[in-house]
Amino acid sequence: SIDLEKGIEERKRITHGYNETEYSKYMVEVNRGLYIDNILYTLSSKKIEIRDLENLEKISEVELEK
């Protein structure tokens, strides 16, 4: 949320998973986020996740080919 006195407040940190290798960290790192209406789309090299913007619950995901 955004407040004039408090600034921007983080609601939740969204990741696409975690792996130990440097290459794997790159693959699951969220590179972009966008929203359309009440849906949040997050994109990484590994997948696209679709979430409800109100509660940030995952609706679906699409695995991307390597």
Side-chain angles (χ1 to χ4, degrees):
S1 64
I2 299 174
D3 182 281
L4 291 176
E5 293 180 17
K6 295 180 185 178
I8 298 173
E9 186 175 316
E10 183 178 300
R11 290 175 46 197
K12 183 175 183 178
R13 192 168 294 244
I14 296 175
T15 67
H16 285 192
Y18 181 77
N19 291 321
E20 289 298 319
T21 68
E22 284 300 315
Y23 177 72
S24 295
K25 286 180 187 177
Y26 166 75
M27 292 297 289
V28 298
E29 183 178 85
V30 175
N31 302 107
R32 298 279 186 268
L34 64 113
Y35 69 93
I36 300 171
D37 295 327
N38 201 37
I39 303 295
L40 174 65
Y41 300 87
T42 54
L43 294 84
S44 69
S45 296
K46 183 179 175 182
K47 63 183 168 180
I48 300 170
E49 282 190 1
I50 299 107
R51 295 177 176 266
D52 184 301
L53 193 56
E54 289 295 317
N55 57 25
L56 299 176
E57 293 294 321
K58 188 187 307 183
I59 296 170
S60 185
E61 65 180 43
V62 178
E63 294 282 334
L64 301 175
E65 292 185 27
K66 293 182 181 181

